[in-house]
Amino acid sequence: ERHGVVGEGPRLTLLIAGDSSAAGVGAVHQRDAFAGQLSTRLAERCGARVEWRLVAQSGLTTAQTLQLLQRESPPHVDLAVIVTGVNDVIEQVPSHRAVASRAALANWLRNALGVHHVVFAPLPPVHDFPSLPQPLRWVAGSDARRHDRALARWAAGRGDVSRVDLDLRLNRGVMAADGFHPGPKAYRQYAAAIARHIETAVWPHIPKETA
């Protein structure tokens, strides 16, 4: 678990949780990874003091992310950003079960930690992963798109949950050297899009507390 504080202004407590992409695998430093990029951009866009906490581990499915959070039991947070889904595809979790796990995760975050809103990152375009050979890349990519559509349908029905729509094409120029994880360029793009969404659609509805 890692944590930090960035920016000045009204207090925003942020939890980032999920799999290897949440953890920042593919970047040497957290400042170049998802958590560092997102917290910095949120502080700038929202004019807030962002107190962030990262609870993530490589290989986790959505259900396992909930189990990890229940073990770690982080303190109260205003906003959670969840990055999961690729391992649901790899582990061949049916999309309806993955959505049920997301619902259980969102409910626990609200009831146990007082989270006002849960932002789910979309599944990445697995069909663009350079390291996956064909036909595996095509099959996994098709599964990922199906999971993402199910996530979008579910999130649209809840006011306390959102899925950010990212138009990101992955290639070796933005990926990590392993061709499977994002590199710093991809993390910057992901973080920028999610920060924009939070600034416009989420932050205005979160009760403000002066740090």
Side-chain angles (χ1 to χ4, degrees):
E1 180 180 317
R2 296 175 179 173
H3 54 87
V5 179
V6 61
E8 295 181 356
R11 183 177 180 226
L12 171 62
T13 50
L14 169 69
L15 172 67
I16 300 161
D19 56 23
S20 56
S21 293
V25 173
V28 176
H29 302 289
Q30 276 299 327
R31 66 175 178 268
D32 297 320
F34 181 70
Q37 287 289 318
L38 179 61
S39 55
T40 299
R41 288 172 184 273
L42 280 179
E44 293 170 352
R45 283 185 163 274
C46 299
R49 172 187 167 91
V50 178
E51 300 177 8
W52 62 272
R53 185 174 300 272
L54 172 64
V55 181
Q57 186 176 307
S58 294
L60 294 187
T61 63
T62 303
Q64 290 166 340
T65 298
L66 172 56
Q67 293 166 5
L68 175 64
L69 285 168
Q70 289 171 332
R71 289 196 304 272
E72 295 285 340
S73 191
H76 168 92
V77 289
D78 299 315
L79 170 68
V81 176
I82 306 299
V83 184
T84 63
V86 171
N87 293 307
D88 292 318
V89 171
I90 291 171
E91 298 295 331
Q92 297 186 311
V93 176
S95 58
H96 70 274
R97 244 179 60 210
V99 165
S101 295
R102 291 178 186 276
L105 176 53
N107 292 342
W108 183 84
L109 288 166
R110 185 189 64 221
N111 297 330
L113 304 186
V115 170
H116 294 287
H117 196 93
V118 184
V119 175
F120 285 93
L123 275 82
V126 175
H127 58 276
D128 285 339
F129 281 15
S131 65
L132 289 182
Q134 297 290 13
L136 176 60
R137 189 194 305 182
W138 184 87
V139 172
S142 178
D143 285 348
R145 284 191 287 258
R146 186 174 67 254
H147 274 247
D148 198 48
R149 287 193 298 270
L151 164 60
R153 284 193 301 270
W154 167 74
R158 287 185 60 149
D160 61 342
V161 161
S162 56
R163 169 199 165 275
V164 181
D165 192 16
L166 300 181
D167 182 21
L168 178 64
R169 294 302 303 268
L170 297 179
N171 55 55
R172 292 199 180 275
V174 302
M175 298 285 281
D178 64 7
F180 188 82
H181 292 97
K185 288 182 180 178
Y187 281 130
R188 282 197 293 273
Q189 293 178 50
Y190 270 111
I194 290 176
R196 280 195 302 272
H197 168 77
I198 291 170
E199 177 197 13
T200 57
V202 180
W203 175 239
H205 306 292
I206 291 180
K208 307 301 185 287
E209 177 186 336
T210 303

